[in-house]
CSV table of all heavy atoms in Angstrom, one decimal:
chain,number,residue,atom,x,y,z
A,41,SER,N,142.9,55.4,171.1
A,41,SER,CA,141.8,55.9,171.7
A,41,SER,C,142.2,56.8,172.9
A,41,SER,O,141.4,57.5,173.3
A,41,SER,CB,140.9,54.9,172.3
A,41,SER,OG,141.6,54.2,173.3
A,194,ALA,N,122.9,36.6,155.0
A,194,ALA,CA,123.7,35.7,155.8
A,194,ALA,C,123.9,34.3,155.1
A,194,ALA,O,123.0,34.0,154.4
A,194,ALA,CB,122.9,35.4,157.1
A,205,GLU,N,112.2,43.5,152.8
A,205,GLU,CA,111.3,44.6,153.0
A,205,GLU,C,110.3,44.8,151.9
A,205,GLU,O,110.5,44.4,150.7
A,205,GLU,CB,112.1,46.0,153.1
A,205,GLU,CG,111.2,47.1,153.5
A,205,GLU,CD,112.0,48.4,153.6
A,205,GLU,OE1,112.9,48.6,152.9
A,205,GLU,OE2,111.6,49.2,154.4
A,216,TYR,N,117.5,30.2,150.9
A,216,TYR,CA,117.9,29.3,149.7
A,216,TYR,C,118.8,28.1,150.3
A,216,TYR,O,119.6,28.3,151.2
A,216,TYR,CB,118.6,30.1,148.7
A,216,TYR,CG,118.0,31.2,147.9
A,216,TYR,CD1,117.6,32.4,148.7
A,216,TYR,CD2,117.6,31.1,146.7
A,216,TYR,CE1,116.9,33.4,148.0
A,216,TYR,CE2,116.9,32.1,146.1
A,216,TYR,CZ,116.6,33.3,146.7
A,216,TYR,OH,115.9,34.3,146.1
A,260,ARG,N,113.5,27.5,162.3
A,260,ARG,CA,114.1,26.3,162.0
A,260,ARG,C,114.0,26.0,160.6
A,260,ARG,O,113.0,26.2,159.9
A,260,ARG,CB,113.3,25.0,162.7
A,260,ARG,CG,113.7,24.9,164.1
A,260,ARG,CD,114.8,24.1,164.5
A,260,ARG,NE,114.7,22.7,164.0
A,260,ARG,CZ,115.7,21.8,164.1
A,260,ARG,NH1,116.9,22.2,164.5
A,260,ARG,NH2,115.5,20.6,163.7
A,261,LEU,N,115.2,25.5,159.9
A,261,LEU,CA,115.3,25.3,158.5
A,261,LEU,C,115.3,23.8,158.1
A,261,LEU,O,116.1,23.1,158.8
A,261,LEU,CB,116.5,25.9,157.9
A,261,LEU,CG,116.8,27.4,158.3
A,261,LEU,CD1,118.0,27.9,157.6
A,261,LEU,CD2,115.5,28.3,157.7
A,314,SER,N,117.2,31.8,174.6
A,314,SER,CA,116.9,32.4,175.9
A,314,SER,C,118.0,33.4,176.4
A,314,SER,O,119.2,33.2,176.1
A,314,SER,CB,116.8,31.4,177.0
A,314,SER,OG,117.8,30.6,177.1
A,325,GLY,N,124.9,56.1,169.3
A,325,GLY,CA,125.2,56.1,167.9
A,325,GLY,C,125.7,54.8,167.3
A,325,GLY,O,126.2,54.7,166.2
A,332,ASP,N,135.0,38.4,165.2
A,332,ASP,CA,136.2,38.0,164.5
A,332,ASP,C,136.1,36.4,164.3
A,332,ASP,O,135.3,35.7,165.0
A,332,ASP,CB,137.5,38.3,165.2
A,332,ASP,CG,137.8,37.4,166.3
A,332,ASP,OD1,137.2,37.3,167.3
A,332,ASP,OD2,138.9,36.7,166.1
A,337,PHE,N,136.4,37.8,169.9
A,337,PHE,CA,136.1,39.3,170.1
A,337,PHE,C,135.0,39.7,169.2
A,337,PHE,O,134.8,39.1,168.2
A,337,PHE,CB,137.4,40.1,169.6
A,337,PHE,CG,138.7,39.7,170.5
A,337,PHE,CD1,139.6,38.8,170.0
A,337,PHE,CD2,138.8,40.4,171.7
A,337,PHE,CE1,140.7,38.5,170.8
A,337,PHE,CE2,139.9,40.0,172.5
A,337,PHE,CZ,140.9,39.2,172.0
A,352,PRO,N,131.8,60.4,168.4
A,352,PRO,CA,132.8,60.2,167.3
A,352,PRO,C,132.6,59.0,166.5
A,352,PRO,O,132.1,57.9,167.0
A,352,PRO,CB,134.1,60.2,168.1
A,352,PRO,CG,133.7,59.7,169.4
A,352,PRO,CD,132.3,60.2,169.8
Side-chain angles (χ1 to χ4, degrees):
S41 67
E205 182 179 34
Y216 294 75
R260 282 274 297 175
L261 307 179
S314 55
D332 87 287
F337 299 99

